[in-house]
Amino acid sequence: MNILFAASEAFPFIKTGGLGDVVHSLPIALNQLGDDVRLVLPAYRDVLASVDGLKELGFWDLPGADVTHRVRILQAHHEGLTDYLYLIDVPSLFDRAGNPYVHSDGFNWPDNAERFTVFSRAVAQMAKGIPGTDWHPDVVHCHDWQTGLVPAFLSMAHPRPKTVFTIHNLAYDGHFSRDDFTRLALPPEWWSPDYVEFYGGFSMLKAGMVFADQVTTVSPTYAREICTPEYGYRFEGVLQHLGDKLSGILNGIDLEIWNPETDDHLVQNYSVENSKQRQPWVKAKLANKNELLTQIRLTRADVPVKAPLLGFIGRLVEQKGVDLITDMLAELFRTTDAVMIILGSGDSLYEAELTKLADKYPARLHVHIGYSEYLAHRIEAGCDLFLMPSRFEPCGLNQMYSLRYGTPPVVNFTGGLADTVTDATAMALKDKTANGFVFNDVHADALLSAIKRALTIYKKPKQWQQLCETAMQQKLGWEASANKYQALYQK
Ligand code: ADP
Ligand code: GLC
């Protein structure tokens, strides 16, 4: 089938989180299964700078907020990505450096409503025909609120391709004002609780849910959770109403980019399957740990390399349970010999608190505020345990990367974490299904006691190695889930 993928970010051009990874790796998996998937992104400055073979396909005049924009449709090329990449070029809206959604001060771009409405109008237009090609999508697959208006605009077209809308995170709903709604010249009949109106404003995420032919989210457990008030962010009614139009399909990971056997960022590569022919993975992992400890200068006499190294990577936001980590660190350091590395950026309060803790515990805690793909790979490989105490987690990719790198994750029982991590209970250890540690209460004490459970097993090398090997052998690629998307497109 022909599938047009529309999203606001994609690795390796521009990525703020897991959405970028999925939009990169799922099309590759679908193409391998025989679909023709083409991706369309906004032509941000960083994207334009990283592609080649730019070809101008045509222009459209599309309404923005009280103005009409000249929208240029570009075709671009990038090694290793889907064969076709289209860019929606509107310099006044997208020719900006850095993060696609926020200003360098951390504030949302004030014209986000206009930016992603114009993008969505352009995608809907492309779905009906792309200048200079006779390619037509059978399905338009849209991701998150930035593309939520695509199914809405397409609902007015006849004939039209079918639409799939994937919710990656309900906490970001693209909520804008009545004034924006009017200025953007959206159809007045959409201003209704049955359509896009939502608590006094309008929500682009809701538009995607209401107008798409099928709605998915990124794990089966999250699909169930979001139909409840606890996780539904006030959308639970809308979501319940979708019935079997809503389903959860677990994300996969890119097994080439996240492969400890070939990863260039590591000082020694390893894999569980090859451990008989090559250096055993345990030794190689230890070499990566040593290197990481040296790099972050945590190798002092009082931190022997046998001290367990804990890692965290992620956006420093409430969702990720950063406060659970900061609340238990003093007690962790007081009662165990563990050391920890944290990589992330986000809320300035968390950034400040973590920096303060790193100053207080220079021999035990290293905090790197910022974004670093390189360090992320090194942390996945060099740590003994990976912490992911998220309050909610639609899917989560980092726990899967850590499984693949033999670094058991410690997670809260929610969303995709619940779907990918099997707690090391006595039974699960015995039948070799355990691959990590799960706790059930969003509280620092619960996290700490799960870590302590892990550290007890860490001291029993045979049991620990079995746990890591189960983790490394887990099937985490896209194949199964790409098949499920194909079945959904067929439907
Ligand atoms: P989310 O999408 O909610 O941020 P995921 O676990 O699905 O969470 O994906 C996060 C992705 O972003 C992973 O690829 C992770 O490695 C990456 N990431 C997050 N923060 C950083 C950072 N500071 N440096 C490098 N990579 C990061
Ligand atoms: C979101 C979610 C995360 C998920 C990612 C990719 O950002 O927070 O859980 O893994 O999207 O689907």
Side-chain angles (χ1 to χ4, degrees), residues 9-41:
E9 61 178 85
F11 178 85
F13 313 113
I14 188 140
K15 164 178 157 186
T16 67
L19 170 66
D21 288 344
V22 171
V23 171
H24 166 256
S25 53
L26 176 55
I28 293 176
L30 288 165
N31 282 339
Q32 278 165 0
L33 291 177
D35 283 331
D36 182 353
V37 184
R38 303 185 179 193
L39 174 62
V40 53
L41 296 172

PDB file of all heavy atoms in Angstrom, residues 9-41:
ATOM      1  N   GLU A   9       8.477  15.604  13.720  1.00  0.00           N
ATOM      2  CA  GLU A   9       9.908  15.374  13.947  1.00  0.00           C
ATOM      3  C   GLU A   9      10.278  13.980  13.469  1.00  0.00           C
ATOM      4  O   GLU A   9       9.423  13.083  13.411  1.00  0.00           O
ATOM      5  CB  GLU A   9      10.308  15.546  15.417  1.00  0.00           C
ATOM      6  CG  GLU A   9       9.637  14.624  16.400  1.00  0.00           C
ATOM      7  CD  GLU A   9      10.165  14.856  17.840  1.00  0.00           C
ATOM      8  OE1 GLU A   9       9.645  15.753  18.531  1.00  0.00           O
ATOM      9  OE2 GLU A   9      11.077  14.129  18.238  1.00  0.00           O
ATOM     10  N   ALA A  10      11.534  13.808  13.107  1.00  0.00           N
ATOM     11  CA  ALA A  10      12.037  12.494  12.712  1.00  0.00           C
ATOM     12  C   ALA A  10      13.550  12.466  12.886  1.00  0.00           C
ATOM     13  O   ALA A  10      14.242  13.373  12.436  1.00  0.00           O
ATOM     14  CB  ALA A  10      11.682  12.171  11.264  1.00  0.00           C
ATOM     15  N   PHE A  11      14.023  11.436  13.545  1.00  0.00           N
ATOM     16  CA  PHE A  11      15.453  11.173  13.593  1.00  0.00           C
ATOM     17  C   PHE A  11      15.889  10.859  12.159  1.00  0.00           C
ATOM     18  O   PHE A  11      15.123  10.235  11.429  1.00  0.00           O
ATOM     19  CB  PHE A  11      15.703   9.949  14.520  1.00  0.00           C
ATOM     20  CG  PHE A  11      17.133   9.545  14.633  1.00  0.00           C
ATOM     21  CD1 PHE A  11      17.973  10.165  15.542  1.00  0.00           C
ATOM     22  CD2 PHE A  11      17.650   8.550  13.796  1.00  0.00           C
ATOM     23  CE1 PHE A  11      19.307   9.791  15.635  1.00  0.00           C
ATOM     24  CE2 PHE A  11      18.981   8.184  13.893  1.00  0.00           C
ATOM     25  CZ  PHE A  11      19.810   8.806  14.807  1.00  0.00           C
ATOM     26  N   PRO A  12      17.041  11.221  11.654  1.00  0.00           N
ATOM     27  CA  PRO A  12      18.126  11.902  12.346  1.00  0.00           C
ATOM     28  C   PRO A  12      18.123  13.421  12.171  1.00  0.00           C
ATOM     29  O   PRO A  12      19.068  14.070  12.570  1.00  0.00           O
ATOM     30  CB  PRO A  12      19.360  11.305  11.661  1.00  0.00           C
ATOM     31  CG  PRO A  12      18.902  11.092  10.250  1.00  0.00           C
ATOM     32  CD  PRO A  12      17.443  10.778  10.311  1.00  0.00           C
ATOM     33  N   PHE A  13      17.052  13.978  11.588  1.00  0.00           N
ATOM     34  CA  PHE A  13      17.049  15.424  11.303  1.00  0.00           C
ATOM     35  C   PHE A  13      16.772  16.255  12.531  1.00  0.00           C
ATOM     36  O   PHE A  13      17.428  17.234  12.820  1.00  0.00           O
ATOM     37  CB  PHE A  13      15.960  15.771  10.291  1.00  0.00           C
ATOM     38  CG  PHE A  13      15.943  14.881   9.123  1.00  0.00           C
ATOM     39  CD1 PHE A  13      14.888  14.029   8.905  1.00  0.00           C
ATOM     40  CD2 PHE A  13      17.003  14.895   8.239  1.00  0.00           C
ATOM     41  CE1 PHE A  13      14.881  13.201   7.821  1.00  0.00           C
ATOM     42  CE2 PHE A  13      17.001  14.069   7.155  1.00  0.00           C
ATOM     43  CZ  PHE A  13      15.938  13.208   6.943  1.00  0.00           C
ATOM     44  N   ILE A  14      15.693  15.869  13.193  1.00  0.00           N
ATOM     45  CA  ILE A  14      15.223  16.696  14.291  1.00  0.00           C
ATOM     46  C   ILE A  14      14.461  15.790  15.232  1.00  0.00           C
ATOM     47  O   ILE A  14      13.570  15.065  14.817  1.00  0.00           O
ATOM     48  CB  ILE A  14      14.373  17.868  13.748  1.00  0.00           C
ATOM     49  CG1 ILE A  14      14.031  18.860  14.828  1.00  0.00           C
ATOM     50  CG2 ILE A  14      13.105  17.431  13.037  1.00  0.00           C
ATOM     51  CD1 ILE A  14      14.116  20.286  14.355  1.00  0.00           C
ATOM     52  N   LYS A  15      14.888  15.752  16.496  1.00  0.00           N
ATOM     53  CA  LYS A  15      14.280  14.800  17.433  1.00  0.00           C
ATOM     54  C   LYS A  15      14.256  15.412  18.826  1.00  0.00           C
ATOM     55  O   LYS A  15      15.265  15.932  19.286  1.00  0.00           O
ATOM     56  CB  LYS A  15      15.112  13.513  17.421  1.00  0.00           C
ATOM     57  CG  LYS A  15      14.849  12.584  18.594  1.00  0.00           C
ATOM     58  CD  LYS A  15      15.659  11.300  18.507  1.00  0.00           C
ATOM     59  CE  LYS A  15      15.838  10.675  19.876  1.00  0.00           C
ATOM     60  NZ  LYS A  15      16.720   9.509  19.883  1.00  0.00           N
ATOM     61  N   THR A  16      13.090  15.367  19.464  1.00  0.00           N
ATOM     62  CA  THR A  16      13.034  15.809  20.858  1.00  0.00           C
ATOM     63  C   THR A  16      12.728  14.640  21.784  1.00  0.00           C
ATOM     64  O   THR A  16      12.814  14.762  22.991  1.00  0.00           O
ATOM     65  CB  THR A  16      11.959  16.898  21.085  1.00  0.00           C
ATOM     66  OG1 THR A  16      10.677  16.303  20.892  1.00  0.00           O
ATOM     67  CG2 THR A  16      12.135  18.064  20.137  1.00  0.00           C
ATOM     68  N   GLY A  17      12.309  13.513  21.215  1.00  0.00           N
ATOM     69  CA  GLY A  17      11.971  12.359  22.053  1.00  0.00           C
ATOM     70  C   GLY A  17      11.672  11.163  21.179  1.00  0.00           C
ATOM     71  O   GLY A  17      12.049  11.119  19.995  1.00  0.00           O
ATOM     72  N   GLY A  18      10.951  10.206  21.768  1.00  0.00           N
ATOM     73  CA  GLY A  18      10.708   8.940  21.094  1.00  0.00           C
ATOM     74  C   GLY A  18       9.912   9.057  19.800  1.00  0.00           C
ATOM     75  O   GLY A  18      10.053   8.216  18.913  1.00  0.00           O
ATOM     76  N   LEU A  19       9.075  10.094  19.684  1.00  0.00           N
ATOM     77  CA  LEU A  19       8.318  10.285  18.441  1.00  0.00           C
ATOM     78  C   LEU A  19       9.273  10.303  17.240  1.00  0.00           C
ATOM     79  O   LEU A  19       9.016   9.656  16.223  1.00  0.00           O
ATOM     80  CB  LEU A  19       7.531  11.603  18.523  1.00  0.00           C
ATOM     81  CG  LEU A  19       6.872  12.070  17.230  1.00  0.00           C
ATOM     82  CD1 LEU A  19       5.771  11.125  16.787  1.00  0.00           C
ATOM     83  CD2 LEU A  19       6.296  13.481  17.397  1.00  0.00           C
ATOM     84  N   GLY A  20      10.366  11.032  17.385  1.00  0.00           N
ATOM     85  CA  GLY A  20      11.344  11.132  16.300  1.00  0.00           C
ATOM     86  C   GLY A  20      11.921   9.775  15.929  1.00  0.00           C
ATOM     87  O   GLY A  20      12.130   9.470  14.747  1.00  0.00           O
ATOM     88  N   ASP A  21      12.167   8.940  16.922  1.00  0.00           N
ATOM     89  CA  ASP A  21      12.701   7.597  16.663  1.00  0.00           C
ATOM     90  C   ASP A  21      11.683   6.743  15.907  1.00  0.00           C
ATOM     91  O   ASP A  21      12.020   6.034  14.957  1.00  0.00           O
ATOM     92  CB  ASP A  21      13.038   6.887  17.989  1.00  0.00           C
ATOM     93  CG  ASP A  21      14.276   7.471  18.663  1.00  0.00           C
ATOM     94  OD1 ASP A  21      15.034   8.186  18.001  1.00  0.00           O
ATOM     95  OD2 ASP A  21      14.474   7.195  19.861  1.00  0.00           O
ATOM     96  N   VAL A  22      10.424   6.815  16.353  1.00  0.00           N
ATOM     97  CA  VAL A  22       9.387   5.969  15.746  1.00  0.00           C
ATOM     98  C   VAL A  22       9.126   6.393  14.299  1.00  0.00           C
ATOM     99  O   VAL A  22       8.996   5.552  13.401  1.00  0.00           O
ATOM    100  CB  VAL A  22       8.085   6.040  16.583  1.00  0.00           C
ATOM    101  CG1 VAL A  22       6.928   5.365  15.862  1.00  0.00           C
ATOM    102  CG2 VAL A  22       8.310   5.385  17.947  1.00  0.00           C
ATOM    103  N   VAL A  23       9.096   7.705  14.075  1.00  0.00           N
ATOM    104  CA  VAL A  23       8.802   8.190  12.725  1.00  0.00           C
ATOM    105  C   VAL A  23       9.957   7.864  11.769  1.00  0.00           C
ATOM    106  O   VAL A  23       9.790   7.782  10.564  1.00  0.00           O
ATOM    107  CB  VAL A  23       8.482   9.709  12.764  1.00  0.00           C
ATOM    108  CG1 VAL A  23       8.385  10.284  11.381  1.00  0.00           C
ATOM    109  CG2 VAL A  23       7.198   9.947  13.534  1.00  0.00           C
ATOM    110  N   HIS A  24      11.113   7.633  12.318  1.00  0.00           N
ATOM    111  CA  HIS A  24      12.245   7.191  11.498  1.00  0.00           C
ATOM    112  C   HIS A  24      12.181   5.685  11.239  1.00  0.00           C
ATOM    113  O   HIS A  24      12.348   5.228  10.112  1.00  0.00           O
ATOM    114  CB  HIS A  24      13.557   7.539  12.225  1.00  0.00           C
ATOM    115  CG  HIS A  24      14.754   6.860  11.647  1.00  0.00           C
ATOM    116  ND1 HIS A  24      15.364   5.776  12.253  1.00  0.00           N
ATOM    117  CD2 HIS A  24      15.450   7.073  10.517  1.00  0.00           C
ATOM    118  CE1 HIS A  24      16.383   5.382  11.516  1.00  0.00           C
ATOM    119  NE2 HIS A  24      16.459   6.149  10.461  1.00  0.00           N
ATOM    120  N   SER A  25      11.917   4.906  12.292  1.00  0.00           N
ATOM    121  CA  SER A  25      12.131   3.464  12.154  1.00  0.00           C
ATOM    122  C   SER A  25      10.899   2.681  11.676  1.00  0.00           C
ATOM    123  O   SER A  25      11.052   1.658  11.005  1.00  0.00           O
ATOM    124  CB  SER A  25      12.651   2.870  13.475  1.00  0.00           C
ATOM    125  OG  SER A  25      11.808   3.221  14.544  1.00  0.00           O
ATOM    126  N   LEU A  26       9.707   3.164  11.982  1.00  0.00           N
ATOM    127  CA  LEU A  26       8.521   2.418  11.524  1.00  0.00           C
ATOM    128  C   LEU A  26       8.389   2.437   9.991  1.00  0.00           C
ATOM    129  O   LEU A  26       8.134   1.385   9.390  1.00  0.00           O
ATOM    130  CB  LEU A  26       7.254   2.945  12.235  1.00  0.00           C
ATOM    131  CG  LEU A  26       5.919   2.358  11.805  1.00  0.00           C
ATOM    132  CD1 LEU A  26       5.890   0.830  11.891  1.00  0.00           C
ATOM    133  CD2 LEU A  26       4.765   2.936  12.631  1.00  0.00           C
ATOM    134  N   PRO A  27       8.579   3.595   9.320  1.00  0.00           N
ATOM    135  CA  PRO A  27       8.511   3.557   7.849  1.00  0.00           C
ATOM    136  C   PRO A  27       9.526   2.599   7.231  1.00  0.00           C
ATOM    137  O   PRO A  27       9.219   1.897   6.263  1.00  0.00           O
ATOM    138  CB  PRO A  27       8.826   5.004   7.437  1.00  0.00           C
ATOM    139  CG  PRO A  27       8.401   5.829   8.600  1.00  0.00           C
ATOM    140  CD  PRO A  27       8.700   4.984   9.816  1.00  0.00           C
ATOM    141  N   ILE A  28      10.715   2.522   7.820  1.00  0.00           N
ATOM    142  CA  ILE A  28      11.726   1.603   7.274  1.00  0.00           C
ATOM    143  C   ILE A  28      11.204   0.164   7.378  1.00  0.00           C
ATOM    144  O   ILE A  28      11.272  -0.611   6.434  1.00  0.00           O
ATOM    145  CB  ILE A  28      13.072   1.765   8.020  1.00  0.00           C
ATOM    146  CG1 ILE A  28      13.657   3.155   7.726  1.00  0.00           C
ATOM    147  CG2 ILE A  28      14.058   0.660   7.634  1.00  0.00           C
ATOM    148  CD1 ILE A  28      14.931   3.482   8.486  1.00  0.00           C
ATOM    149  N   ALA A  29      10.632  -0.159   8.550  1.00  0.00           N
ATOM    150  CA  ALA A  29      10.108  -1.521   8.747  1.00  0.00           C
ATOM    151  C   ALA A  29       8.961  -1.805   7.774  1.00  0.00           C
ATOM    152  O   ALA A  29       8.875  -2.892   7.200  1.00  0.00           O
ATOM    153  CB  ALA A  29       9.648  -1.693  10.185  1.00  0.00           C
ATOM    154  N   LEU A  30       8.087  -0.821   7.575  1.00  0.00           N
ATOM    155  CA  LEU A  30       6.945  -1.031   6.671  1.00  0.00           C
ATOM    156  C   LEU A  30       7.419  -1.177   5.220  1.00  0.00           C
ATOM    157  O   LEU A  30       6.904  -2.010   4.467  1.00  0.00           O
ATOM    158  CB  LEU A  30       5.953   0.127   6.788  1.00  0.00           C
ATOM    159  CG  LEU A  30       5.140   0.169   8.088  1.00  0.00           C
ATOM    160  CD1 LEU A  30       4.463   1.530   8.266  1.00  0.00           C
ATOM    161  CD2 LEU A  30       4.088  -0.943   8.109  1.00  0.00           C
ATOM    162  N   ASN A  31       8.404  -0.377   4.851  1.00  0.00           N
ATOM    163  CA  ASN A  31       8.949  -0.499   3.490  1.00  0.00           C
ATOM    164  C   ASN A  31       9.540  -1.883   3.277  1.00  0.00           C
ATOM    165  O   ASN A  31       9.399  -2.471   2.198  1.00  0.00           O
ATOM    166  CB  ASN A  31      10.011   0.578   3.230  1.00  0.00           C
ATOM    167  CG  ASN A  31       9.367   1.934   2.936  1.00  0.00           C
ATOM    168  OD1 ASN A  31       8.208   2.008   2.557  1.00  0.00           O
ATOM    169  ND2 ASN A  31      10.112   3.002   3.131  1.00  0.00           N
ATOM    170  N   GLN A  32      10.193  -2.398   4.342  1.00  0.00           N
ATOM    171  CA  GLN A  32      10.775  -3.742   4.205  1.00  0.00           C
ATOM    172  C   GLN A  32       9.690  -4.799   4.015  1.00  0.00           C
ATOM    173  O   GLN A  32       9.929  -5.836   3.419  1.00  0.00           O
ATOM    174  CB  GLN A  32      11.639  -4.078   5.425  1.00  0.00           C
ATOM    175  CG  GLN A  32      13.033  -3.458   5.295  1.00  0.00           C
ATOM    176  CD  GLN A  32      13.798  -3.433   6.605  1.00  0.00           C
ATOM    177  OE1 GLN A  32      13.301  -3.884   7.647  1.00  0.00           O
ATOM    178  NE2 GLN A  32      15.010  -2.890   6.576  1.00  0.00           N
ATOM    179  N   LEU A  33       8.504  -4.510   4.522  1.00  0.00           N
ATOM    180  CA  LEU A  33       7.393  -5.465   4.349  1.00  0.00           C
ATOM    181  C   LEU A  33       6.670  -5.254   3.023  1.00  0.00           C
ATOM    182  O   LEU A  33       5.666  -5.893   2.751  1.00  0.00           O
ATOM    183  CB  LEU A  33       6.391  -5.323   5.499  1.00  0.00           C
ATOM    184  CG  LEU A  33       6.844  -5.778   6.893  1.00  0.00           C
ATOM    185  CD1 LEU A  33       5.753  -5.509   7.918  1.00  0.00           C
ATOM    186  CD2 LEU A  33       7.191  -7.268   6.884  1.00  0.00           C
ATOM    187  N   GLY A  34       7.143  -4.288   2.231  1.00  0.00           N
ATOM    188  CA  GLY A  34       6.571  -4.136   0.893  1.00  0.00           C
ATOM    189  C   GLY A  34       5.670  -2.927   0.693  1.00  0.00           C
ATOM    190  O   GLY A  34       5.175  -2.692  -0.404  1.00  0.00           O
ATOM    191  N   ASP A  35       5.431  -2.140   1.734  1.00  0.00           N
ATOM    192  CA  ASP A  35       4.643  -0.924   1.539  1.00  0.00           C
ATOM    193  C   ASP A  35       5.518   0.159   0.927  1.00  0.00           C
ATOM    194  O   ASP A  35       6.743   0.068   0.940  1.00  0.00           O
ATOM    195  CB  ASP A  35       4.112  -0.419   2.896  1.00  0.00           C
ATOM    196  CG  ASP A  35       2.923  -1.237   3.377  1.00  0.00           C
ATOM    197  OD1 ASP A  35       2.184  -1.763   2.523  1.00  0.00           O
ATOM    198  OD2 ASP A  35       2.747  -1.363   4.597  1.00  0.00           O
ATOM    199  N   ASP A  36       4.869   1.194   0.387  1.00  0.00           N
ATOM    200  CA  ASP A  36       5.617   2.358  -0.094  1.00  0.00           C
ATOM    201  C   ASP A  36       5.277   3.519   0.840  1.00  0.00           C
ATOM    202  O   ASP A  36       4.235   4.153   0.701  1.00  0.00           O
ATOM    203  CB  ASP A  36       5.218   2.664  -1.539  1.00  0.00           C
ATOM    204  CG  ASP A  36       6.008   3.853  -2.103  1.00  0.00           C
ATOM    205  OD1 ASP A  36       6.759   4.503  -1.340  1.00  0.00           O
ATOM    206  OD2 ASP A  36       5.860   4.123  -3.310  1.00  0.00           O
ATOM    207  N   VAL A  37       6.141   3.731   1.829  1.00  0.00           N
ATOM    208  CA  VAL A  37       5.873   4.757   2.838  1.00  0.00           C
ATOM    209  C   VAL A  37       6.701   5.989   2.515  1.00  0.00           C
ATOM    210  O   VAL A  37       7.918   5.898   2.312  1.00  0.00           O
ATOM    211  CB  VAL A  37       6.240   4.271   4.260  1.00  0.00           C
ATOM    212  CG1 VAL A  37       5.865   5.333   5.290  1.00  0.00           C
ATOM    213  CG2 VAL A  37       5.534   2.974   4.583  1.00  0.00           C
ATOM    214  N   ARG A  38       6.052   7.127   2.461  1.00  0.00           N
ATOM    215  CA  ARG A  38       6.763   8.386   2.213  1.00  0.00           C
ATOM    216  C   ARG A  38       6.463   9.323   3.378  1.00  0.00           C
ATOM    217  O   ARG A  38       5.339   9.364   3.867  1.00  0.00           O
ATOM    218  CB  ARG A  38       6.312   8.987   0.887  1.00  0.00           C
ATOM    219  CG  ARG A  38       6.536   7.989  -0.241  1.00  0.00           C
ATOM    220  CD  ARG A  38       6.223   8.546  -1.593  1.00  0.00           C
ATOM    221  NE  ARG A  38       6.492   7.553  -2.629  1.00  0.00           N
ATOM    222  CZ  ARG A  38       6.543   7.821  -3.919  1.00  0.00           C
ATOM    223  NH1 ARG A  38       6.319   9.061  -4.349  1.00  0.00           N
ATOM    224  NH2 ARG A  38       6.794   6.873  -4.799  1.00  0.00           N
ATOM    225  N   LEU A  39       7.501  10.035   3.760  1.00  0.00           N
ATOM    226  CA  LEU A  39       7.400  10.852   4.971  1.00  0.00           C
ATOM    227  C   LEU A  39       7.309  12.329   4.620  1.00  0.00           C
ATOM    228  O   LEU A  39       8.012  12.794   3.722  1.00  0.00           O
ATOM    229  CB  LEU A  39       8.661  10.573   5.814  1.00  0.00           C
ATOM    230  CG  LEU A  39       8.887  11.396   7.076  1.00  0.00           C
ATOM    231  CD1 LEU A  39       7.773  11.171   8.090  1.00  0.00           C
ATOM    232  CD2 LEU A  39      10.240  11.000   7.716  1.00  0.00           C
ATOM    233  N   VAL A  40       6.453  13.052   5.321  1.00  0.00           N
ATOM    234  CA  VAL A  40       6.412  14.508   5.135  1.00  0.00           C
ATOM    235  C   VAL A  40       6.623  15.201   6.478  1.00  0.00           C
ATOM    236  O   VAL A  40       6.029  14.846   7.487  1.00  0.00           O
ATOM    237  CB  VAL A  40       5.115  14.970   4.412  1.00  0.00           C
ATOM    238  CG1 VAL A  40       3.857  14.469   5.062  1.00  0.00           C
ATOM    239  CG2 VAL A  40       5.064  16.503   4.320  1.00  0.00           C
ATOM    240  N   LEU A  41       7.538  16.182   6.456  1.00  0.00           N
ATOM    241  CA  LEU A  41       7.917  16.948   7.660  1.00  0.00           C
ATOM    242  C   LEU A  41       7.869  18.436   7.331  1.00  0.00           C
ATOM    243  O   LEU A  41       8.002  18.814   6.166  1.00  0.00           O
ATOM    244  CB  LEU A  41       9.378  16.647   8.041  1.00  0.00           C
ATOM    245  CG  LEU A  41       9.800  15.258   8.471  1.00  0.00           C
ATOM    246  CD1 LEU A  41      11.319  15.215   8.597  1.00  0.00           C
ATOM    247  CD2 LEU A  41       9.158  14.898   9.800  1.00  0.00           C
TER     248      LEU A  41
END
